[in-house]
Amino acid sequence: MTKWVYSFGDGKSEGEAGMKTLLGGKGANLAEMSNLGLPVPPGFSITTEVCTHYYANGETYPAELKAQVAEAVKKIGAAAGGTLGDPAKPLLVSVRSGARVSMPGMMDTVLNLGLNAATTEGLAKITGDARFAYDSYRRFIQMYSDVVLGVEHAHFEEILDMRKEEKGVELDTELDAEDLKAIAAQFKAQVQNELGKPFPESVEEQLWGAIGAVFGSWRSPRANTYRRLNNIPEEWGTAVTVQAMVFGNMGETSATGVAFTRDPATGEKLLYGEFLINAQGEDVVAGIRTPQPITKIVRERQGGRKPSMQEAMPRAYEELLAIGERLEKHYRDMQDVEFTVQDGKLFMLQTRSGKRTAEAALKAAVDMVGEGLIDKKIAVTRVDASALDQLLHPTLDPHAPKTEIAAGLGASPGAATGEVVFTADEAEKLAAEHRAVILVRTETSPEDIHGMHAAKGILTARGGMTSHAAVVARGMGRPCVSGAGSLKIDIAKGEMITNGVTVKRGEVITIDGAAGKVYKGEVIMRRPELTGDFGTLMGWADETRKLKIRTNADTPADAAVARKFGAEGIGLCRTEHMFFEADRIIAVRQMILADNEAGRKAALDKLLPMQRGDFEGIFKEMEGLPVTIRLLDPPLHEFLPHEEEEIAAVAKVSGTSADVLRARTLALHESNPMLGHRGCRLGITYPEIYEMQARAILEAAANVEAAGGKPVLLEIMIPLVGFKSELDLLAARIHGVAEDIKKAKGKVPAYLIGTMIELPRAALRAADIAQTAEFFSFGTNDLTQTTLGVSRDDAGTFLGEYLSKGLIPRDPFVSIDTEGVGELIRIAAQRGRSSRANLKLGICGEHGGDPASIQFCHDSGLDYVSCSPFRVPIARLAAAQAVLRSDTKKS
Amino acid sequence: MTKWVYSFGDGKSEGEAGMKTLLGGKGANLAEMSNLGLPVPPGFSITTEVCTHYYANGETYPAELKAQVAEAVKKIGAAAGGTLGDPAKPLLVSVRSGARVSMPGMMDTVLNLGLNAATTEGLAKITGDARFAYDSYRRFIQMYSDVVLGVEHAHFEEILDMRKEEKGVELDTELDAEDLKAIAAQFKAQVQNELGKPFPESVEEQLWGAIGAVFGSWRSPRANTYRRLNNIPEEWGTAVTVQAMVFGNMGETSATGVAFTRDPATGEKLLYGEFLINAQGEDVVAGIRTPQPITKIVRERQGGRKPSMQEAMPRAYEELLAIGERLEKHYRDMQDVEFTVQDGKLFMLQTRSGKRTAEAALKAAVDMVGEGLIDKKIAVTRVDASALDQLLHPTLDPHAPKTEIAAGLGASPGAATGEVVFTADEAEKLAAEHRAVILVRTETSPEDIHGMHAAKGILTARGGMTSHAAVVARGMGRPCVSGAGSLKIDIAKGEMITNGVTVKRGEVITIDGAAGKVYKGEVIMRRPELTGDFGTLMGWADETRKLKIRTNADTPADAAVARKFGAEGIGLCRTEHMFFEADRIIAVRQMILADNEAGRKAALDKLLPMQRGDFEGIFKEMEGLPVTIRLLDPPLHEFLPHEEEEIAAVAKVSGTSADVLRARTLALHESNPMLGHRGCRLGITYPEIYEMQARAILEAAANVEAAGGKPVLLEIMIPLVGFKSELDLLAARIHGVAEDIKKAKGKVPAYLIGTMIELPRAALRAADIAQTAEFFSFGTNDLTQTTLGVSRDDAGTFLGEYLSKGLIPRDPFVSIDTEGVGELIRIAAQRGRSSRANLKLGICGEHGGDPASIQFCHDSGLDYVSCSPFRVPIARLAAAQAVLRSDTKKS
């Protein structure tokens, strides 16, 4: 006979913590605590298999269930001393859902089940406390009607309020037993009125009603949606846990509360939580009475007047403290517990691993290693890598008052406050006066880089998580909110309108680049400090990980930041950003406007020393670590001005007419620039550009070495290769430049030539391409765009709907699409190494800083990931966690 | 000892026709003719292996070569009666190159080698014709100096001209022996003068000089380029053929000529060619004297006065005729021969398969089957499928005078003459007055469709072979020249300027859509008639091919044309073209401008009956053949007006303001529309659009069946799927519509749901997708764009350079990139069929009409190809040839 019901209580249980699949998280942990001999009210769990059976069989229960439940209820009664429905010795129970993982949309809790007219009267007699009995009864009717019968909550509140008004009182506690009895009657009348049938008097009916409500809620629309979005299989099902009630509302020696075994915000080792005297669980949450802290020190810090639990109930507090320590040792993790004190006696109602901030996770993990609770490897898994962002960037004080005026995507974490400006030039000008500015643009382009650098934060009306603004902001470590669709910017008027609010140039706003929110005025901020614990944990992560972590850095300043965060090289140095600096853009434009090779060469000759200087700075900063430099990638029209005023100005500086400039811009216009004349295609049609760049790189490396610097580990990278023939041609030209330098100077620095793999064709033809390429760097942004046929700049119009409909599990520009893009990466890695065993493999797309993608890179056997400087610590931790997760899978 | 030299002549040879690899095409065929007992002057071929040895060994010959050549020269002398360099009995030879395939850039021919002062004198004595001897000598010096010594040809012409001037004569033939002797001396002086060393008197030196020149020319820059572009391996090398001279210039009983065994323009069975009495080979080509026709009937047709060979040299003619027949029987193909008549005796100097027009190829192939020369299968291989275009479209008379004013891409074959118009509306207006117009646009967009339909031809300044103009023109069978870069169109002024020529609206131009040329005024045209032979050959092709041939057709008219050409179904019916018709575009725009679903539904309700009508027409036309209908694909902004004037007009009609319209257009603007909000993404975000289309399709099929039509084989196709979840959602909605119709009408037509495979991800996830999709249609245009990361609209700026540099062998938008895109197709086919064994597979991109791509589709096991109506015959033939080629490979 299948066992559908598992009892616990009285220091022994039929289940244990390992049986979450069958008993749900809550039930399994109650069983475990009971096995540990902790004071747990007796109860039982109905298994998740019943849920599965229920849906597989037209919403009916297994035949044996009724008897098994009856038996288990009897056991509770025996242990707790009472019988369900017996007015002389009434047993009351709570009924809760319990899935394998906690899940919104599920029925939560029904308390005080077992009360009806007769048993309430009995409870009043036994306890000698009629007020307590009727208060419990009206609570039960209210809760049961709401969550089981689906009667609207508001009606009950009205009845309660009317009664208080009639009596001229304000608090529930000021109502007496008679009041509560009357209210209970009115509640029942309301139910009869609304449903056309009476509130159940039968305790059997009550129990099965509650059990049915739990199973029914497994397929509620909200639960369905949550499951789909979080990939939770429908087959898992939920368990139901029924447990004898204990009462925190039996007077001043009773209480109820929740506690963390460490401060979930800071990780400090003390009992952190709240409790309420003479109350039941829902009062703590309801916020009608203000709960009191658990420990004295917390009360003192908060300047609270009401005593802490430590002061008010020292015995129960000491017991709770001991149990907390016991649970931490047992579970080897910080616990989040629920408890009730009934007439001075402590009961544990739940324990689970406690949610915590990144700061707390870090401190707790490092402390626990010190305490001998866990080892370093477990410590490494205890901090959510993505959450490290919280430690690296300023964040808004969660308690600060704020007025939200717009929302978009959290495109680059951190918070910033500043005056609104609408152009890059203005941003630069005000920043030079040491004023904090937020650059607000419809969307940014490479021409805005100097303004983005000058600004404290960036806000755009359009663009997704990998739009220009987002990518550049993350690279610079600037907070950014992108795609705030409500923004209408009127540069001419110098204002923006959002959701009816007008913000003029110079007015102050605050952006939260993690949450994607925009607020009016200044909002108080918290500036995190990196503690020693951070370095300790990073050290442990470094001991564990196999992937190298490089950074995407285009300037010596970026490189310095990244090295501080532990970068082991540069995986992507984009040379085009250098082209936009004020002193270069003129020469760049002269090159583009030149009619012939000679004209282009003259302009490039001006750029050569500037680029060489850029590279020298970067090489010095990196002190012999590998540096991958990508030759020019974006289409040339990105470097030309597009607005009339600017065209006129540029024409004047370039010594050409506005008409010529407009004509050239028009000639360079492309329908789909992402798939246009860019990358190595530029290198092939304008040989002199890549030749200049190769020369600048090699001469810079030679100069740094000649000045006594460490030899540069130089990797020259050709973008957008699709055919081996492209790479062959360009590699031959670079070798030609190297030969020239060797002839002139007697020697030339060593270098590798490799390619981005960012086109499906390149991935498929990797065996060919690796005959020439000495390394591959997966450009996963473009590879995602081409493999999925989705432009990241335009995806905003439908990707949101795809996510909300559950058509795709995650934004593929945030987390690698492992099934599609991922297969191409695996193919390329395998084929590439088949023709060159020591081929170096890395990724340099935006995915390089995403933990799930880093896991994929580890599993696929890549050598390194490269990400923006501020994500380097995330990558280090995620790479270590990937090793541990893979080890777990293997074992 | 390696045999480096193979002799032929005297009715027996050491080589034969099968030894082209070793002896080159020319040498192998001379050996074969000699084996057949035909009159071939004796000679020998130096093998291609010598060429390989030459380059592998620092440009030196194998040690044994000298002796083998000397031996072979002796054999020639023995057979021809003479000795190289012997003044008493001089042997003269010709030296020619001979690669496996004929190749530009190679040294062609040196005639009369063996002449020097002494042997010329001897030749004069023996022949008793001093003029002949010195004419031969001066020709030899001239030719040898040019092709072997590299002395400029022009100098010799000057000397010759001066002499004629001095003598007051006009023709070479008016110079006598003394003149020619003096000229020969002047030629030699010129060589001495230019090279600083004398013209070789040694006949040995002459022979090895010529042999060396042949081998040297194998690596000439022109030969290298040609090889790279045509994928001819460098290792093949060239052979050298040395042959005893026979003389067509020994007086009136001598002659030289070339002939085809059938008319290469029409295929008519007669000797077609030209000859010159008393002349050497180069005179026929040089064009100084007008050659005479071979056959009497041709002379009569041309109205020539000079006698044909049949009349002038009846015996030699009869012999040539017999030899021609003999060669055709032997080679089972039409031959192109060179011959010389020396003093009444016929000698054969070359035979090879003759190049011919499509018309000739068709007639010759069908005739030869009738004559029992070849079987049907060989006949099918004898017509170049691509060349069928010549038979289906009007072409320009090659002899008509014409003034070229612009050149672009031959985007859609055929020629057309008409008045220039610059807007689609004007085209439509003039066409309604039965005036022929050529629509000239910078580039076309879907809004121009009605004008393209009304025009006789289309000319654009921008866009490649798969630009909108090109694709639509081919679909309609309209000639089109695209990407004529020199065009500057000024609509306001009503004129275009190209290469300095101004053409005003209403002026007449002619375009050649095969050659990509634009001419001023009218040019005489040839309108081909489809002969019975065409149908015969198509029938044979149909017996052989395995691939089904469908067509891309959007209207009943297209469908009718395609069926006439033999289409077996519609592989792609694009529903969006229907949206542009004048009566629909208003409703379409109302839909796009609607703020909400209700507004969109109201507009779609207007479109429903129109679309239903479209489909009914197509279904009727196709009479039960399969019809694949693609649901809406292009991004919505394509349907909105972009120019101010039009915006105002549309705003008025739509009852909205221009501002609203502009705002909506701006909101819909995309950076990369190819990768944007289109295809199934539209279907997902605007469910009502696809639901309307599904309803229109199903109701139309029901109506046609109800009216007694054959049941429609209906295939509903969802574009741009990347994820199974997309297809699942949309398939469920279509099934929902079908259910509704079934409920309302009691039944619903049968239909399949399938998807385009046009994204790399879709190809990779084919196993998933085929769980839902009942067919796949490869959209190879978009699959090429995404796999290669190349926008077809923008590729013009670099693809030309890629082709000219040999980086890619062919335009990937014309012929499938089998290594990249092809691998994805093979992956998708294999994975798709792994989850659905009977999955129907086809292609519907532009490649469906390209023979090389059709070969690929056959090899990959697809079920059908779909192409524009006018390419259906090409596809039928190419599909048959693919079978035969694959059979050959297997055997």
Side-chain angles (χ1 to χ4, degrees), chain A residues 224-490:
Chain A
N224 285 341
T225 304
Y226 184 85
R227 266 199 302 277
R228 206 174 49 221
L229 291 180
N230 292 275
N231 275 326
I232 299 173
E234 164 118 16
E235 307 84 69
W236 281 10
T238 183
V240 178
T241 295
V242 178
Q243 191 176 23
M245 285 294 301
V246 285
F247 298 97
N249 56 343
M250 281 181 75
E252 296 303 307
T253 55
S254 296
T256 190
V258 296
F260 289 84
T261 53
R262 304 187 187 222
D263 184 335
T266 64
E268 187 182 2
K269 196 169 182 214
L270 49 70
L271 275 185
Y272 191 93
E274 298 174 325
F275 85 116
L276 268 177
I277 291 174
N278 194 16
Q280 267 197 338
E282 76 269 27
D283 298 325
V284 180
V285 186
I288 301 165
R289 289 162 60 195
T290 305
Q292 296 148 249
I294 304 279
T295 41
K296 183 170 168 234
I297 191 166
V298 173
R299 179 187 64 75
E300 287 168 356
R301 282 183 200 159
Q302 294 175 348
R305 281 171 306 133
K306 289 194 191 167
S308 65
M309 182 177 173
Q310 190 174 10
E311 293 156 307
M313 297 182 157
R315 235 186 36 144
Y317 167 79
E318 288 300 332
E319 197 182 350
L320 182 62
L321 188 65
I323 287 174
E325 294 239 359
R326 176 97 189 270
L327 285 173
E328 270 207 351
K329 271 208 185 92
H330 183 71
Y331 285 102
R332 294 164 185 273
D333 196 6
M334 163 183 154
Q335 295 296 300
D336 166 4
V337 300
E338 291 180 16
F339 62 89
T340 285
V341 180
Q342 176 177 312
D343 201 12
K345 177 164 168 45
L346 178 73
F347 290 94
M348 301 303 294
L349 299 180
Q350 174 158 329
T351 189
R352 59 184 171 184
S353 164
K355 287 208 186 337
R356 64 208 87 172
T357 62
E359 193 183 335
L362 176 63
K363 180 169 167 51
V366 175
D367 284 354
M368 283 183 191
V369 172
E371 292 161 22
L373 268 186
I374 56 175
D375 65 17
K376 293 175 189 177
K377 285 188 177 178
I378 290 177
V380 162
T381 65
R382 282 287 168 80
V383 181
D384 176 6
S386 319
L388 282 186
D389 262 345
Q390 294 173 22
L391 301 182
L392 302 171
H393 300 278
T395 49
L396 295 182
D397 183 334
H399 305 300
K402 38 192 179 274
T403 314
E404 184 179 323
I405 54 173
L409 299 170
S412 177
T417 295
E419 295 175 49
V420 167
V421 296
F422 297 112
T423 68
D425 289 342
E426 209 180 346
E428 201 174 41
K429 206 180 106 211
L430 295 194
E433 298 167 13
H434 303 292
R435 285 156 71 181
V437 298
I438 305 290
L439 176 61
V440 182
R441 302 281 289 164
T442 300
E443 45 196 343
T444 63
S445 74
E447 298 167 47
D448 295 322
I449 300 265
H450 64 292
M452 297 171 78
H453 209 274
K456 295 286 177 205
I458 295 124
L459 167 61
T460 69
R462 276 164 51 170
M465 290 298 287
T466 51
S467 63
H468 178 266
V471 172
V472 173
R474 282 199 291 276
M476 291 176 173
R478 294 284 177 287
C480 174
V481 174
S482 70
S486 69
L487 283 191
K488 301 276 169 287
I489 298 167
D490 189 331

Side-chain angles (χ1 to χ4, degrees), chain B residues 278-410:
Chain B
N278 195 16
Q280 268 196 338
E282 75 269 28
D283 298 325
V284 181
V285 184
I288 300 165
R289 289 162 59 193
T290 306
Q292 295 148 250
I294 303 279
T295 41
K296 184 170 167 235
I297 190 164
V298 173
R299 180 187 63 75
E300 287 168 356
R301 283 182 200 160
Q302 294 176 348
R305 281 172 306 135
K306 288 195 193 166
S308 65
M309 181 176 175
Q310 189 174 9
E311 292 156 306
M313 297 181 157
R315 233 183 38 140
Y317 167 78
E318 289 300 332
E319 197 182 351
L320 182 63
L321 188 66
I323 287 174
E325 294 240 359
R326 177 97 190 268
L327 285 173
E328 270 208 352
K329 274 212 181 87
H330 184 70
Y331 284 103
R332 296 165 182 271
D333 196 7
M334 163 183 155
Q335 294 297 298
D336 166 5
V337 300
E338 292 180 16
F339 63 88
T340 284
V341 181
Q342 176 176 312
D343 200 11
K345 179 165 167 41
L346 178 74
F347 291 94
M348 300 304 293
L349 299 180
Q350 175 157 328
T351 189
R352 58 183 171 186
S353 162
K355 285 207 187 337
R356 65 209 85 172
T357 63
E359 194 183 333
L362 175 62
K363 181 169 167 50
V366 174
D367 284 354
M368 283 183 191
V369 172
E371 293 161 22
L373 268 187
I374 57 175
D375 64 17
K376 293 174 188 178
K377 285 188 176 179
I378 290 177
V380 162
T381 66
R382 282 287 167 79
V383 181
D384 176 5
S386 318
L388 282 187
D389 261 344
Q390 294 174 25
L391 301 183
L392 302 171
H393 299 280
T395 50
L396 295 183
D397 182 335
H399 304 300
K402 38 191 179 277
T403 313
E404 184 178 323
I405 54 172
L409 299 171

Side-chain angles (χ1 to χ4, degrees), chain A residues 462 666 669-677 680-681 684-685 720 723 725-726 729 733 759-761 764-765 768 785-791 793-794 797-798 801-802 805 807-808 817 819-820 823-824 827 831, chain B residues 462 666 669-677 680-681 684-685 720 723 725-726 729 733 759-761 764-765 768 785-791 793-794 797-798 801-802 805 807-808 817 819-820 823-824 827 831:
Chain A
R462 276 164 51 170
L666 193 66
H669 169 82
E670 295 186 311
S671 306
N672 294 288
M674 154 68 206
L675 308 174
H677 195 168
C680 69
R681 298 162 193 172
I684 286 167
T685 53
L720 214 69
F723 297 81
S725 58
E726 297 172 314
L729 181 76
R733 288 200 196 137
L759 298 176
R761 192 184 201 280
L764 294 169
R765 304 307 302 170
D768 295 355
Q785 295 198 82
T786 49
T787 304
L788 273 57
V790 173
S791 160
D793 294 325
D794 305 315
T797 47
F798 55 91
E801 198 153 338
Y802 270 54
K805 286 207 165 90
L807 295 175
I808 52 175
D817 159 40
E819 291 190 337
E823 176 166 13
L824 285 176
I827 286 174
R831 294 185 183 179
Chain B
R462 274 164 52 170
L666 193 68
H669 169 81
E670 296 186 310
S671 306
N672 294 288
M674 154 68 204
L675 307 174
H677 194 168
C680 69
R681 298 163 194 171
I684 285 167
T685 53
L720 213 71
F723 296 80
S725 58
E726 296 172 315
L729 180 76
R733 288 202 194 135
L759 298 176
R761 191 184 201 281
L764 295 169
R765 303 308 303 170
D768 294 355
Q785 296 198 85
T786 49
T787 304
L788 273 57
V790 173
S791 160
D793 295 325
D794 304 315
T797 47
F798 55 90
E801 197 153 336
Y802 270 53
K805 285 206 166 92
L807 295 176
I808 52 175
D817 159 39
E819 291 189 336
E823 176 167 12
L824 286 176
I827 286 174
R831 293 185 184 179

